[in-house]
Amino acid sequence: EVESTVAQTAQVQQRASDLRAERAAKQLSRLTASHLSSLVDCLRIVARANGGRFPGSFAEAEAMSSAVPRKIEREHVRHIFSWTNHSRPTETELTGISFSVSARSFEFMPFARLLNAEDPPLPFLRETTPRQLPNGSFARYYGFTAGRVEEATPRDGNFSDWEREQSQGEGTRR
């Protein structure tokens, strides 16, 4: 009976650990999507202020932000570029994991030409490193020129194929 109780306790502890990992993964996913959405919104503001042209890097975006006509929008854009979003203390306490997301968590995708707001919706910003999910698969968020944010979770873990499909027919991917 003692062996059975020990085995049951181990199962309960493993399940609790799995639930914490799942909760942390969901929290990180929400935090990442939220931060990326803010970045994409700001980059669209920068593009509008520059004749529809999207920047190709954060350094270029920072320089281009001076063209944003309204001071309050310009300050907001610069704030978002430098802001770090942290997990809430209550989530950290529940999961035992603390994490943060900033502009450094993302990278501009390589294109052979500059992107413009008139282009079809294309992914142009992505998480720098795909996140491993509790089930062993990988996920990565993408920001699109039209403003949407999407999480890709290719079954085979091949993000290159997913990226190619999203910009199919454009001839813009390097």
Side-chain angles (χ1 to χ4, degrees), residues 9-165:
T9 301
Q11 287 176 336
V12 168
Q13 288 173 335
Q14 182 59 50
R15 181 66 182 137
S17 177
D18 292 347
L19 289 172
R20 281 192 301 277
E22 288 171 20
R23 185 177 183 117
K26 286 178 184 176
Q27 177 63 18
L28 179 56
S29 179
R30 283 191 298 270
L31 196 69
T32 302
S34 173
H35 202 86
L36 179 57
S37 182
S38 295
L39 285 171
V40 168
D41 289 347
C42 287
L43 291 165
R44 289 171 46 81
I45 290 169
V46 168
R48 275 194 303 275
N50 287 275
R53 186 174 79 78
F54 279 87
S57 69
F58 283 112
E60 186 179 13
E62 185 73 34
M64 290 171 68
S65 70
S66 63
V68 175
R70 292 182 44 212
K71 182 180 178 187
I72 194 162
E73 276 188 324
R74 193 170 48 251
E75 289 172 354
H76 173 71
V77 165
R78 289 179 176 157
H79 169 73
I80 294 299
F81 289 166
S82 63
W83 174 53
T84 299
N85 198 352
H86 299 279
S87 54
R88 293 181 293 210
T90 53
E91 284 296 324
T92 299
E93 193 175 311
L94 283 170
T95 63
I97 300 170
S98 177
F99 37 77
S100 60
V101 178
S102 70
R104 285 178 288 213
S105 303
F106 304 96
E107 64 187 4
F108 281 79
M109 296 174 63
F111 281 89
R113 64 173 176 79
L114 295 174
L115 297 181
N116 193 285
E118 301 300 316
D119 290 329
L122 294 169
F124 75 105
L125 199 61
R126 67 182 174 204
E127 278 183 273
T128 304
T129 305
R131 290 170 283 111
Q132 187 166 16
L133 303 176
N135 67 6
S137 66
F138 288 87
R140 181 183 239 175
Y141 270 105
Y142 291 82
F144 285 73
T145 54
R148 94 173 187 267
V149 168
E150 184 176 328
E151 186 178 43
T153 54
R155 287 182 189 198
D156 64 357
N158 187 344
F159 291 93
S160 297
D161 287 347
W162 186 91
E163 291 171 6
R164 208 172 3 268
E165 288 171 17

